[in-house]
Every structure is written in C-alpha cells, then in structure tokens.
Amino acid sequence: LTWPWADARRWDLGKGELYTLRLRVEGEGWSDDYAQSFGFREFWIEGRDFYLNGTPIRLRPTLSGSSADWAKWQKMGVNFFEVWPSGTEGRGRDFELWTNLFTEADRQGVLLNGVAPDMGWMGTQIERPAQLKKYREAAERIIRRDRNHPSII
C-alpha cells in the first residue's frame, strides 16, 4: 500500500518523530489487530559523504551499551551507536534485550546500525551454496523485521 503523505514530520537526530499504523482485519467469526511504529527519514551515501534528510552528516560512532549511556556519549560528540549482538540465529534470539534499543533509539532520535547474522557459524563455508543460502535467508528475515525503525541506518 502507498499513498501521498502531505507535510510528514521527519524523524531526525534528537527528534524521534514517530507515527503508528494500526491495521485491523476482520472476517466471519474472527478479527486481528496489528500496530507498527515507523518514521519518515532519508539516509543516503554519495561517494564518501553521508546524508540524513538532505543534510550532510559525519558519523561519529561508539559501541552502544545501554540507552542510559547515550546522552553522556552525545555530549562528547557521538551521533551513531553500534549494536553488536552475539548472534541472531539461535532460537528466540530475535527478542533479546538489544532489540529494545531499536525502539528506544526511534523514540529519542538516535542513529544505530542494524544487526546482521553472525558469520562465525559459517566459518570458511561461505562459498558453499547451502551455507550462503542459509545466511541470506537469515539476513532477509532480520531486514524485514527491522526495516521500519528509522533509527537504523
């Protein structure tokens, strides 16, 4: 589904402008509700330059511990936090505490990296078609799960 959205408030650094899409589907004898938070922002790279909502931005990263530390790091000039989970492929790993950082970063207007499947389990087998297929499937699942977080670049 697409439609024009006049005068959308842009999500930006320090401005966690968020919207919520609420979807309700009903059928004979059943109904289902779903809510998804999202924000409008643009991020792109031209050559060696990064842009956030049309403004050049120089990323100054550090590793993210908890969201409680973000303000301290931001005072020192940090504007991008790296999230490094220990892996995403294990059963139930999608709901680890670090995924809550995405929601909090969206709310606060903080940039984060997205997570990717840990390649450690592949070892030297990346060139094997079956292993590559498995990795791509895991990466696609994670991208679909996290794609509406405006904080993730």
Side-chain angles (χ1 to χ4, degrees), residues 2-23:
T2 62
W3 61 89
W5 195 302
D7 302 322
R9 296 181 320 269
R10 295 251 177 139
W11 182 97
D12 211 329
L13 290 177
K15 297 178 184 171
E17 298 285 355
L18 297 173
Y19 294 88
T20 301
L21 170 72
R22 288 185 180 15
L23 179 65

Side-chain angles (χ1 to χ4, degrees), residues 67-134:
S67 59
D69 297 332
W70 290 345
K72 171 185 74 174
W73 285 105
Q74 288 169 321
K75 287 178 185 175
M76 292 187 273
V78 170
N79 64 1
F80 177 70
F81 295 89
E82 298 181 54
V83 179
W84 292 103
S86 58
T88 57
E89 295 70 52
R91 184 175 179 190
R93 299 298 299 258
D94 282 350
F95 300 104
E96 287 193 18
L97 292 176
W98 51 263
T99 59
N100 293 331
L101 288 177
F102 300 161
T103 301
E104 187 59 22
D106 291 346
R107 194 183 66 72
Q108 290 188 33
V110 171
L111 290 174
L112 300 174
N113 67 294
V115 297
D118 180 5
M119 292 186 69
W121 59 273
M122 296 185 75
T124 58
Q125 301 177 25
I126 186 72
E127 294 184 17
R128 293 185 183 179
Q131 288 296 92
L132 186 56
K133 180 179 184 287
K134 231 170 123 175

Side-chain angles (χ1 to χ4, degrees), residues 1-64:
L1 295 173
T2 62
W3 61 89
W5 195 302
D7 302 322
R9 296 181 320 269
R10 295 251 177 139
W11 182 97
D12 211 329
L13 290 177
K15 297 178 184 171
E17 298 285 355
L18 297 173
Y19 294 88
T20 301
L21 170 72
R22 288 185 180 15
L23 179 65
R24 181 173 177 85
V25 180
E26 295 181 3
E28 190 173 321
W30 65 272
S31 67
D32 196 10
D33 296 296
Y34 181 76
Q36 175 67 56
S37 176
F38 67 96
F40 291 101
R41 66 111 176 98
E42 291 182 291
F43 182 84
W44 71 89
I45 302 169
E46 287 182 18
R48 296 177 65 184
D49 298 321
F50 297 93
Y51 293 85
L52 178 63
N53 296 325
T55 303
I57 182 171
R58 182 169 179 220
L59 298 180
R60 295 179 186 95
T62 191
L63 291 176
S64 178

